[in-house]
């Protein structure tokens, strides 16, 4: 029996269409899955969408559609993108699938039956966009940078506090492995509590100190909205209110419900027994606590085995902050597929997409050390493509194979091999395989690039073009070209998990047939064996990585400023009215829904006058307004509040000429925490009205009003 390897991505929220941040995790998982498969592991790769909870409910209301329809459309856009990118998942789970709901209810009912879940009442702070409870007084700033909402609810609670010591020990001993180390330490210090608070500490079994009681029980149901999985019987009858299961308990369970947990057939049981526990959960760093504290605690309580490893990567940053729709700094994968796909104008659309996906995969895995934050830019993408793929790998393949075509009539020369590259090949094989295997993708891809460089150097040093001119050097020429071809074969096999489409093309050109078949047949496993049989001939040659010029950067920038272009095979995206992932219920208009009323009735929760008065709205006069170099959307304003002057950055550059704003009175949020954009601090926010992403209208005053006056 081959080893099994079960790996997962987070299931993505359906409040907004995918961007390259989501693609990052999915590409990493796909790369590892491909390598595991070719190494012969019985691999199962799961991804999907997280569709319940208040955040999705509100986004649906903002778009004026039923949550299920909304979820169907956005989930469809994730599936369509993964299809375009050739992601090789084995299953796409949706938390609105019947089998998932059944499994979650089973888990909840089991925990309730075991006394691990109990009913109590709770008043606390809730951060809707992160779907999490936060400690602190009303108005506490949540992890999303916005004030939390106060909720008072009768809730079911999970006895999380009981697991503090056990979790510390499991993590300390690496039975629950967390990578990188920095995340592991972060989780451990959360679990241990504040050791410097003067509180009495105890020792865990591994000898680590902790503050008993630092881990609080967790609320695992909600009553204030109903877009979720209902709490099942008998718990449901214990209360008069309708409870839905907390979205994180619902979501985390996907890793088991997808593979048969809660099912009633023999196949379900067999699949669950075969695949669980997961070998690896890939997550972004912001959801480490859910995966490394809550999830293992639920499993311990249910008496189920824990996942073996959780690997957290950093964030893709764009314009210096985390790429996310609510910040308006996202880049769509489609933009990159379209732009790089256009380098192959004669290829079928499907191949253009897969080629573009390879370029994105290569960049993400090569450029950003996994675990750290990394900046994305179109310039860097193009530069990396040209240097490593067009000039590096592509050029090596093309010069080697065209010399074989010219000098040996397309037959791989039969000759001895030079040993010059043997050492580097052996090292690189080990480093690439181990690098991908331990999720150090940068190290792996760098090693492959080093082999490409070494082979290039070998060609330059041996100058086969000179040897070709001298019939007496025919054997030497044969050796050089065969050695280079062998090295290309190896680097191509090693890079297959990273560049599945392009390596398949190279494999064909090497005359080796289908690389997928080679992967399935185990030929890529041990690369020291096999290779070119006697009489091997190269395939048809064609450029693999055409050079990209700067024009492509303009093309991508333009695409990002326009609404997402219609994709023929992306139907769900087109049907979709614009969707915001901000948690405010801001209805949006779209060209597709021109006839419909622009603004749907919002379902914003009621607040008290005290809540409202926390927002300090003031009249200010614009003193200076100017564009910010390379930030097409932002204006830098200096405003006078009467009692002080402020710098404010406003995303209105496409709608207002800066000169026309000078002298104008505007309304600003004066007590907003400052934040940095483009390296500049914005000390407040200008208030404007808009319908969705439509043109904003700055708030202005018909009567004369002094600057500094408060709006209320
Ligand atoms: N639905 C939860 C996860 C539940 S898992 C049981 C969720 N969804 S999410 O849509 O917000 O996706 C979060 C994940 O998407 C991150 O953990 C990360 O894997 C990926 N990313 C989203 N934006 C990203 C960046 N800007 N950079 C890197 N990864 C990002 O949280």
């Amino acid at each position: 029996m081959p080893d099994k390897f079960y790996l997962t991505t987070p299931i993505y929220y359906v409040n907004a269409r995918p961007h390259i941040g989501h693609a990052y995790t999915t590409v990493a998982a796909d790369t590892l899955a491909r390598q595991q498969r070719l190494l012969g592991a019985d691999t199962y790769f799961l991804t999907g969408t997280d569709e319940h909870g208040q955040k999705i409910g509100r986004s649906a209301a903002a778009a004026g559609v039923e949550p299920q329809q909304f979820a169907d459309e956005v989930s469809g856009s994730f599936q369509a993108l993964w299809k375009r990118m050739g992601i090789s998942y084995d299953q796409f789970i949706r938390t609105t699938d019947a089998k998932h709901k059944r499994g979650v209810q089973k888990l909840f009912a089991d925990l309730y039956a075991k006394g691990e879940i109990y009913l109590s009442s709770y008043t606390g702070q809730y951060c809707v966009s992160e779907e999490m409870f936060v400690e602190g007084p009303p108005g506490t700033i949540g992890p999303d940078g916005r004030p939390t909402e106060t909720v008072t609810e009768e809730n079911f609670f999970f006895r999380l506090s009981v697991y503090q010591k056990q979790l510390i020990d499991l993590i300390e001993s690496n039975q629950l492995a967390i990578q990188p180390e920095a995340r592991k330490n972060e989780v451990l210090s959360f679990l241990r509590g504040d050791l410097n608070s003067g509180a009495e500490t105890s020792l865990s079994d591994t000898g680590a100190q902790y503050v008993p009681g630092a881990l609080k029980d967790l609320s695992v149901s909600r009553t204030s909205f109903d877009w979720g999985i209902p709490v099942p019987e008998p718990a449901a009858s214990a209360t008069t209110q309708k409870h839905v299961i907390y979205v994180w308990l619902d979501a985390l369970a996907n890793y088991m419900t997808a593979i048969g947990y809660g099912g009633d057939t023999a196949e379900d049981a067999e699949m669950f027994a075969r695949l669980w526990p997961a070998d690896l959960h890939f997550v972004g760093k912001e959801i480490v606590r859910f995966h490394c504290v809550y999830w293992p605690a639920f499993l311990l309580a249910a008496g189920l085995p824990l996942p073996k490893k959780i690997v957290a990567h950093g964030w893709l940053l764009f314009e210096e902050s985390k790429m996310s729709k609510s910040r308006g700094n996202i880049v769509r994968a489609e933009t990159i597929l379209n732009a790089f796909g256009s380098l192959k104008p004669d290829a079928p659309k499907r191949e253009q997409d897969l080629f573009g996906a390879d370029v994105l995969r290569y960049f993400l895995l090569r450029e950003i050390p996994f675990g750290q934050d990394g900046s994305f830019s179109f310039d860097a993408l193009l530069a990396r493509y040209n240097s490593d793929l067009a000039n590096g790998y592509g050029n090596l393949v093309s010069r080697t194979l065209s010399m074989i075509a010219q000098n040996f009539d397309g037959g791989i020369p039969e000759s001895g091999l030079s040993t010059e590259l043997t050492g580097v090949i052996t090292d690189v094989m080990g480093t690439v395989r181990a690098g991908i295997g331990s999720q150090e993708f940068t190290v792996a891809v760098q090693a492959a690039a080093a082999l490409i460089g070494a082979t290039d150097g070998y060609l330059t040093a041996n100058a086969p073009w000179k040897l070709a001119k001298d019939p007496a050097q025919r054997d030497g020429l044969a050796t050089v070209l065969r050695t280079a071809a062998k090295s290309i074969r190896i680097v191509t096999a090693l890079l297959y998990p990273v560049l599945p489409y392009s390596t398949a093309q190279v494999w064909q050109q090497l005359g080796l047939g289908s690389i997928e078949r080679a992967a399935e047949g185990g030929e890529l496993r041990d690369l020291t064996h096999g290779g070119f049989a006697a009489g091997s001939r190269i395939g048809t040659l064609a450029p693999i990585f055409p050079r990209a010029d700067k024009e492509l950067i303009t093309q991508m920038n333009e695409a990002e400023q326009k609404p997402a272009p219609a994709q023929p095979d992306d139907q769900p995206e087109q049907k979709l009215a614009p969707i915001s992932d901000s948690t405010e219920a801001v209805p949006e208009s779209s060209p597709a829904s021109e006839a419909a009323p622009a603004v749907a009735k919002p379902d914003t929760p009621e607040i008290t006058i005290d809540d409202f008065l926390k927002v300090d709205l003031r009249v200010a006069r614009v003193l200076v307004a100017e564009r910010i170099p390379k930030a097409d959307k932002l204006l830098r304003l200096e405003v006078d509040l009467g009692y002080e002057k402020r710098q404010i950055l406003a995303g209105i550059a496409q709608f207002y000429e800066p000169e026309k704003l000078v002298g104008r009175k505007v309304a600003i949020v004066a007590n907003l925490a400052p934040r940095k954009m483009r390296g500049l601090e914005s000390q407040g926010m200008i208030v404007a009205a808009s319908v969705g992403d439509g043109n904003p209208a700055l708030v202005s005053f018909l009567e004369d009003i002094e600057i500094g006056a408060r709006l209320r």
Side-chain angles (χ1 to χ4, degrees):
M1 267 296 270
D3 286 348
K4 68 92 184 171
F5 194 83
Y6 174 34
L7 79 165
T8 67
T9 72
I11 47 170
Y12 304 109
Y13 283 132
V14 291
N15 60 324
R17 293 188 298 123
H19 55 68
I20 61 169
H22 304 111
Y24 184 37
T25 325
T26 306
V27 159
D30 187 67
T31 301
L32 179 59
R34 285 174 188 270
Q35 175 161 295
Q36 288 295 333
R37 280 189 209 114
L38 76 83
L39 292 177
D42 171 16
T43 306
Y44 199 85
F45 169 18
L46 176 74
T47 190
T49 40
D50 185 356
E51 307 186 7
H52 291 128
Q54 195 162 14
K55 166 167 158 146
I56 312 296
R58 285 188 183 178
S59 297
V65 294
E66 287 302 314
Q68 185 62 61
Q69 184 195 341
F70 186 86
D72 289 348
E73 290 177 348
V74 186
S75 179
S77 71
F78 275 91
Q79 293 172 55
L81 176 61
W82 302 153
K83 185 166 165 235
R84 280 188 76 180
M85 291 181 65
I87 300 297
S88 65
Y89 59 74
D90 293 286
Q91 188 186 154
F92 188 99
I93 177 118
R94 300 184 55 190
T95 56
T96 49
D97 289 344
K99 72 170 183 191
H100 173 76
K101 293 188 199 167
R102 188 179 57 188
V104 171
Q105 289 188 324
K106 172 181 157 53
L107 179 61
F108 192 100
D110 272 8
L111 294 173
Y112 186 72
K114 292 188 157 116
E116 300 281 346
I117 284 178
Y118 60 92
L119 192 63
S120 185
S121 144
Y122 176 83
T123 297
Q125 297 303 305
Y126 197 72
C127 167
V128 178
S129 76
E130 300 291 326
E131 297 281 14
M132 74 192 283
F133 288 97
V134 174
E135 295 221 13
T140 295
I141 299 301
D144 61 350
R146 301 175 208 188
T148 50
E149 294 181 19
T150 302
V151 294
T152 298
E153 288 183 4
E154 181 192 61
N155 274 178
F156 285 97
F157 281 83
F158 169 69
R159 295 191 194 282
L160 180 62
S161 54
V162 173
Y163 295 96
Q164 182 183 18
K165 182 162 169 284
Q166 208 174 340
L167 287 171
I168 293 174
D169 289 337
L170 286 164
I171 295 170
E172 283 258 319
S173 63
N174 284 334
Q175 287 175 69
L176 174 62
I178 303 174
Q179 197 179 299
E181 198 68 14
R183 300 287 154 236
K184 174 177 168 179
N185 293 336
E186 180 186 296
V187 172
L188 281 172
S189 63
F190 172 74
L191 282 168
R192 288 178 188 143
D194 183 2
L195 296 171
N196 302 319
S197 64
E200 256 182 55
T201 60
S202 296
L203 286 183
S204 82
D205 293 352
T206 48
Q209 277 202 314
Y210 69 98
V211 179
L215 194 60
K216 301 276 183 292
D217 285 355
L218 179 73
S219 161
V220 287
S221 72
R222 305 293 313 276
T223 52
S224 54
F225 61 93
D226 61 4
W227 180 237
I229 301 176
V231 162
E233 292 299 348
S237 291
T239 156
T240 50
Q241 285 179 287
K242 276 198 174 156
H243 289 251
V244 292
I245 296 173
Y246 175 45
V247 65
W248 271 100
L249 174 52
D250 166 347
L252 288 160
N254 91 88
Y255 301 134
M256 297 198 305
T257 61
I259 55 162
Y261 176 85
D264 39 29
T265 66
E267 290 80 51
D268 289 331
E270 180 281 323
M271 189 179 191
F272 188 65
R274 178 167 64 92
L275 292 174
W276 193 256
D279 293 83
L280 198 160
H281 292 314
F282 274 111
V283 297
K285 68 178 184 182
E286 77 291 355
I287 55 174
V288 162
R289 188 183 301 172
F290 299 98
H291 284 80
C292 301
V293 177
Y294 302 165
W295 181 224
F298 295 149
L299 293 169
L300 288 173
L304 290 162
L306 304 191
K308 294 187 188 143
K309 185 168 165 186
I310 290 145
V311 177
H313 61 71
W315 287 337
L316 280 191
L317 312 176
F318 195 65
E319 293 166 353
E320 289 172 24
S321 55
K322 183 188 176 209
M323 198 176 284
S324 85
K325 177 112 194 285
S326 49
R327 287 193 185 84
N329 64 345
I330 51 164
V331 174
R332 303 264 183 218
E334 289 86 343
T335 299
I336 293 159
L337 305 194
N338 293 344
F340 281 88
S342 73
L343 294 178
K344 302 218 164 187
D346 301 327
K349 171 84 169 60
R350 173 82 192 133
E351 296 198 20
Q352 293 181 349
D353 283 347
L354 294 174
F355 171 68
D358 270 7
V359 176
L360 176 58
R361 293 169 75 103
Y362 188 88
F363 178 84
L364 294 174
L365 298 177
R366 165 64 186 82
E367 203 78 11
I368 306 158
F370 210 65
Q372 296 175 25
D373 290 352
S375 287
F376 179 86
S377 78
F378 292 131
D379 294 54
L381 175 68
L382 196 91
R384 180 58 70 191
Y385 169 78
N386 278 333
S387 72
D388 286 24
L389 296 177
N391 298 342
Y393 186 28
N395 190 35
L396 173 67
V397 172
S398 115
R399 68 182 185 156
T400 306
L401 297 192
S402 59
M403 288 200 71
I404 291 177
Q406 280 158 21
N407 296 290
F408 294 90
D409 195 24
I412 302 277
E414 284 166 31
S415 71
L417 285 168
S418 157
T419 51
E420 268 181 67
L421 292 173
T422 314
V424 59
I425 288 179
T426 310
D427 284 355
V428 166
M429 282 195 297
T431 312
V432 174
R433 290 274 155 92
I436 295 178
S438 59
Q439 299 81 54
E440 289 169 292
F441 297 103
T442 330
V443 175
V445 179
Q446 256 168 341
L451 178 52
I452 291 167
T455 311
D456 232 8
Y458 168 76
L459 284 183
T460 307
N462 290 284
W465 44 92
K466 284 191 194 147
L467 302 178
K469 290 189 187 133
D470 179 359
Q473 303 277 11
R474 183 105 181 132
D475 283 355
L477 177 65
T479 300
V480 172
L481 293 179
R482 189 176 176 92
T483 303
K486 176 188 161 175
S487 178
I488 293 173
R489 172 182 170 272
I490 289 179
V491 84
T492 301
L494 292 174
L495 279 174
Y496 165 69
V498 177
L499 295 169
Y501 170 76
S502 310
T503 52
Q505 303 284 300
V506 176
W507 205 252
Q508 288 281 0
Q509 294 194 16
L510 286 168
L512 295 169
S514 155
I515 201 166
E516 284 90 2
R517 224 168 301 132
E520 279 161 28
E523 274 171 60
L524 305 188
R525 207 172 303 168
D526 180 0
L527 295 169
T528 47
H529 292 104
F532 301 102
S536 295
R537 300 190 58 75
I538 59 172
T540 313
L541 303 187
I544 309 268
F545 299 107
R547 247 194 95 78
D549 65 38
K550 289 229 156 72
E551 165 58 21
L552 225 53
I553 299 179
T554 319
Q555 198 178 318
M556 290 187 281
N557 273 321
E558 280 175 6
E560 281 304 332
Q561 274 156 30
K562 285 190 261 139
Q567 293 302 330
D569 55 355
D570 251 5
Q571 289 312 322
E573 291 193 25
Q574 291 172 54
K575 275 197 281 143
L576 202 64
I579 284 161
S580 153
D581 71 349
S582 74
T583 48
E584 297 94 346
V586 184
E588 304 192 42
S589 72
S590 85
S593 64
E594 220 83 273
V599 181
K601 185 172 184 301
D603 80 336
T604 344
E606 195 173 88
I607 58 169
T608 63
I609 184 75
D610 289 338
D611 288 336
F612 171 69
L613 286 175
K614 281 186 207 138
V615 185
D616 190 18
L617 291 166
R618 301 274 172 177
V619 179
R621 176 181 285 118
V622 179
L623 300 175
V624 176
E626 58 185 20
R627 295 189 186 277
I628 300 176
K630 291 204 215 133
D632 304 336
K633 297 182 184 156
L634 285 182
L635 288 186
R636 191 186 78 82
L637 309 176
E638 275 172 40
V639 301
D640 188 359
L641 276 161
Y643 54 90
E644 67 185 42
K645 298 195 175 66
R646 299 273 187 95
Q647 167 172 283
I648 293 184
L649 304 183
I652 54 172
Q654 285 157 321
F655 310 100
Y656 286 94
E657 292 300 325
E659 320 61 84
K660 298 211 174 123
L661 290 175
V662 176
R664 180 166 169 172
K665 282 182 185 160
V666 291
I668 71 160
V669 182
N671 61 342
L672 194 68
R675 69 180 186 121
K676 273 205 162 176
M677 287 183 259
R678 295 277 180 169
L680 297 170
E681 189 172 81
S682 183
Q683 302 151 336
M685 186 180 104
I686 292 249
V687 181
S690 69
V691 178
D693 287 333
N695 295 8
L698 292 180
V699 170
S700 49
F701 305 92
L702 294 175
E703 283 81 19
D704 197 17
I705 178 78
E706 278 167 35
I707 56 175
R710 185 160 186 196
L711 279 76
R712 54 182 144 194

